[in-house]
Every structure is written in structure tokens, then in C-alpha cells.
Amino acid sequence: MNETLERWSTRRAFILAVTGAAVGLGNIWRFPYITGENGGAAFLLLYVAFVLLLGLPVMMAEIMIGRAGRRSPVQSLGHLAAGAGASRHWRWLGLFGAFTVFCILSFYSVVSGWSIEFLIASVNGDFVGATPAEIGAGFEAFLADPRRMTFNHTLFLAMTMLVVAAGVAKGLERLNNLLMPMLYLLLVLLAGYAATTEGFVPALAWLFMPDVSAVTPLVVMHAMGHAFFTLAVGACALMAYGAYMPDHQSLPRAAGAVAVLDVTVALLAGIAIFSVVFAQGMDPGEGPGLMFVTLPIAFAQLPWGALWLSVFFLLLLLATWTSSINLAEPMVATLQGIGLKRGHAAAVVGVAVWLVGLLTVLSFSSLAEWRPLFGMNAFELVSTIPPEIFLPLGGLLIAIFAAWVMPEAAARGALGVGPGGFALWRGLVRWVAIPLTLVVLVAGLV
Ligand code: PFF
């Protein structure tokens, strides 16, 4: 065991760190627009079911492996596989995870950069008195300007890699302590405001009254992918954090708390956003711009709207910051594992992600019609295939490793549960999570 490895200083710090990884663009930006594109309530129901049946047990598996290995994901997997008498090739799973987060971070950083742009605009009072049409047009104009987008992408990635270079635990704890409660509170207020608008009831109906006919294998696959994405599961990123988890903390309780926080943040954001959509007669399937257009409209109608909006984008930015730090961690840990200094590893990862991120930037202007695969442009590819195929595939392999390959004693010790709890968890992983992921992936792909 690596005795010098940092540990999160308190139990709360670990939960907050994992919540910081989980809560981000996935909840506030991606969840509403994906739900909008996939028909509303039926999608939401599937997504919640997947969080409970797959996301949660596999999240526990992933953190457990990290805590048992106490190394970078690649090294932990190799070490634990050797200890179990299994193939060393399990190490490749750690590399696959690093590749997955690489793809995700490339678009995540660009979209987080949009928050920087919107934060500055709202501090400037640009949205004060603007009509919905003007807000929509302003967003379109921003997307068409690759220079502004590149600037924000660069700034955001630099912010991320600086914290990563400084070492995760030190950089993160204090930030998370403050950020999550504030973000939550603001979303509660926003949803409370939404309840006073005429869009509220249609939004609730649309979000919670499922239309079963809207469900296709592809919708099911989108819902499963989003469950993995929102919980940050399947890319060995939480495995990297698990390596820092204190020995005596209850893993199931921590994972459960994170899942509840994560889903409720998404629901609050969804209620706020769709109330605006229905009050304004907008299209729920508007796509990636949904949040960036609806929330300025909502806040524009509130007293002190510009101030609230600025606070919101600040909190969103901080939330995406903690997620992107988590996204970068497996890559940096992997490079560290082959002997690079932490700072150098962070620099290499930062430059590589920055370059690939430019493809996403240009997907909204000059490369919009460049569709190299499956009829999708670069942004559509990186924001669809890694979350919806790579994460479930990674999660599947993590689950197989945890529940079939690791010896019971090692797994149970790192999970920190009694025999009954262990049997329940392992039964859920073996007989529900693994087959379900497999079936949905195959059905979706076919
Ligand atoms: N869970 C993050 C979000 O919802 O924004 C995104 C994410 C982080 C996905 C880390 C995957 C990951 F490994």
C-alpha cells in the first residue's frame, strides 16, 4: 500500500468531493436537454431507475476498487487482479477509463466555458430587459464565434489543470464545503420561483406523467448512459477518488447520499427550466442551448434578476470545475503512474484536451457540417458516444471485476459492509446491474 497517498481529511470531505464530481453540467445542462429531446417523463423515470439499479451499485464497486487498491486506477486494477490470480490485462480498463474521460473533458471544458461567458454577461447586466428572442439570438451569436469560445475553453481548462497539478485533496476540500450547499439552495429558490409561474403545472406534468409510447431502445440507452454520466461512474474517475477514501467511512452510505443529492439537483434544475419552457411556449427539445437560454429568461423576470443570474452562473461554474477536476484525475494519475511528475502530467493532459476541445468549439461554426462518423459532427460524437457507450461499457467491466473477479474477503473489506449487506450488493451487481447494462447496450446499438 502506498502510505504517502493523501487522504481526505474528514468523512464529509469525501462525500463532498464525490458530490462535486457527480454534480455538474450533467445535472443542470445535460439532464434537461436530454430529457427534452427524449420525451420527458418516461425518460426521467428510466433514468432514476437506472441510477438506483445500476448507477448506485456500480458506483460502490468503483469506489471500492479504488479503496482496496489505494493506487491510480491502472495500478489498482493490476495489483488487485494479480492478488486475485486474474489476468494483468485488467489494467487496460484503467486506460480505457482515462481515454473516456479524455473525450468527455474535451467537450465538458468548452461547455463550461459557456458558463464563463454567461457569468460575465450577467454581471454586466446584458440580460436586463432582454426579450426571450434577444437572449436566444445572443446565444446563437456566441456559438458562432469560435474565438470567444476558445478563450473561455482555455481559461476553464487552465483553472482545472492548476488545481489538479496542486493535488486533488488539498485543492478541493475547501471549495466543495461551500459550493454544494449554496448551489442547492439557489436551485431550491429557483424551483420555488418556477412554482409561481404558469409554466409550472405543465412542466410537472411533462416531467412526471410518462408517455410509455415514447420509449424506444435508443431512449432506454440514452437514459442508462445519462445515469452513468451524471454519477461520474464508469470511467475509473471515482476509483481514483476512492483511493483517497478513509478506511472507516461507510461506502454505501456515502454513495447513497451522493446519488440522492445528484438526482435532486437534476430534478430541481429540470423543474425550473421546463417551467420557463412551457411558460414561454418554447420547444423542450431545443437541444444543448436549452439551459443557457431558459435561465436568463427566468431570471430576467425576477427582482434583482441580474444578481441572481450572476450567482447562478458562478455556482454552475464552480460545480463544473469540481467535476472537470475529477475528469482530469484518472489521466493525471495514469501518467504519474508511469513516472511523470504531477505538474508535468497535468500540463500534458491539459494541452491534449485543449487541442481536441477545439473540435467541439468549431462544431458550432465552421465544422458544423463535418460529420465524420454516424452522421454526427465532432461535438455530437464526443458528447454522445463516450457518455452513452464508453461509460456503460466501463461500468460493466468494473462491475464484473468487483463482483466476479475480486475475492470476497478483499471486496467485502474495502466495501466495509457485513455479510448480509455484501450479499445484497453483490447480488444486485451480478444479477441485475451486469445483465441489464449488457442488454440495454446491445439493444441500443442494434
Ligand atoms: N458527473 C459529471 C456531471 O454530471 O457533470 C460528469 C462526469 C464527471 C462524468 C466525471 C464522468 C466522470 F468520470
Side-chain angles (χ1 to χ4, degrees):
M1 184 190 298
N2 181 354
E3 295 297 345
T4 60
L5 203 64
E6 296 175 83
R7 297 285 153 85
W8 305 99
S9 63
T10 62
R11 287 163 194 231
R12 209 166 105 86
F14 179 77
I15 296 189
L16 282 168
V18 179
T19 311
V23 175
L25 287 177
N27 310 65
I28 298 171
W29 167 72
R30 194 175 194 270
F31 168 74
Y33 98 75
I34 296 274
T35 306
E37 287 180 341
N38 286 280
F43 175 86
L44 185 138
L45 213 68
L46 283 166
Y47 146 77
V48 174
F50 283 130
V51 164
L52 295 175
L53 294 175
L54 307 177
L56 203 53
V58 180
M59 181 193 236
M60 288 167 56
E62 188 174 328
I63 298 174
M64 179 275 279
I65 295 172
R67 177 149 83 167
R70 291 257 183 248
R71 292 165 171 80
S72 80
V74 173
Q75 293 169 317
S76 287
L77 286 162
H79 171 74
L80 294 173
S87 162
R88 300 275 291 179
H89 288 311
W90 278 103
R91 278 178 313 176
W92 293 100
L93 175 54
L95 277 185
F96 178 60
F99 175 67
T100 305
V101 287
F102 177 77
C103 302
I104 293 179
L105 189 55
S106 77
F107 81 83
Y108 206 90
S109 165
V110 174
V111 178
S112 300
W114 299 357
S115 307
I116 299 183
E117 180 79 13
F118 272 68
L119 172 61
I120 295 170
S122 44
V123 170
N124 276 340
D126 289 1
F127 300 111
V128 177
T131 63
E134 285 165 348
I135 291 174
F139 182 65
E140 295 297 321
F142 168 63
L143 288 187
D145 185 346
R147 269 176 320 166
R148 266 156 82 198
M149 250 209 264
T150 304
F151 175 78
N152 292 318
H153 164 51
T154 311
L155 194 63
F156 182 80
L157 204 55
M159 276 166 54
T160 299
M161 299 324 291
L162 276 178
V163 177
V164 175
V168 193
K170 263 184 290 170
L172 269 184
E173 277 186 17
R174 254 164 279 141
L175 180 64
N176 275 321
N177 255 313
L178 205 73
L179 165 66
M180 282 302 145
M182 280 173 60
L183 181 67
Y184 211 84
L185 196 70
L186 194 70
L187 284 171
V188 169
L189 286 176
L190 197 58
Y193 160 72
T196 68
T197 67
E198 80 247 42
F200 183 65
V201 174
L204 289 190
W206 195 76
L207 276 171
F208 297 108
M209 290 183 15
D211 166 15
V212 188
S213 70
V215 178
T216 64
L218 215 54
V219 169
V220 180
M221 190 168 89
H222 292 320
M224 180 173 82
H226 190 68
F228 281 101
F229 183 84
T230 191
L231 293 176
V233 169
C236 304
L238 292 184
M239 197 183 290
Y241 276 15
Y244 309 121
M245 186 180 186
D247 282 320
H248 301 295
Q249 181 163 17
S250 163
L251 203 163
R253 225 176 292 156
V258 171
V260 168
L261 276 169
D262 191 68
V263 170
T264 47
V265 167
L267 291 180
L268 288 170
I271 290 170
I273 286 171
F274 286 111
S275 296
V276 179
V277 167
F278 288 108
Q280 298 289 335
M282 292 166 66
D283 173 13
E286 151 114 21
L290 186 66
M291 179 207 83
F292 287 94
V293 176
T294 46
L295 290 188
I297 295 175
F299 280 108
Q301 334 228 319
L302 282 173
W304 302 88
L307 178 70
W308 288 116
L309 190 62
S310 308
V311 174
F312 171 79
F313 277 116
L314 181 66
L315 295 176
L316 176 65
L317 188 62
L318 295 175
T320 65
W321 195 20
T322 54
S323 296
S324 63
I325 289 164
N326 177 249
L327 281 163
E329 182 60 21
M331 293 184 273
V332 172
T334 303
L335 291 183
Q336 260 189 308
I338 58 170
L340 259 69
K341 288 215 182 73
R342 193 165 179 90
H344 294 166
V348 170
V349 169
V351 170
V353 170
W354 183 81
L355 280 172
V356 176
L358 294 182
L359 289 175
T360 289
V361 168
L362 295 174
S363 295
F364 295 93
S365 46
S366 49
L367 293 186
E369 289 311 316
W370 179 59
R371 300 181 180 280
L373 259 178
F374 312 122
M376 293 191 239
N377 69 23
F379 165 69
E380 288 160 354
L381 277 173
V382 282
S383 64
T384 307
I385 308 292
E388 298 190 355
I389 297 176
F390 295 176
L391 287 181
L393 200 59
L396 181 68
L397 293 170
I398 288 168
I400 293 174
F401 186 82
W404 289 106
V405 176
M406 274 180 78
E408 173 167 343
R412 185 144 78 82
L415 210 53
V417 290
F422 183 76
L424 182 69
W425 167 80
R426 197 170 66 175
L428 203 57
V429 174
R430 280 187 171 178
W431 310 116
V432 180
I434 292 173
L436 195 57
T437 310
L438 208 63
V439 167
V440 175
L441 259 181
V442 171
L445 289 175
V446 170

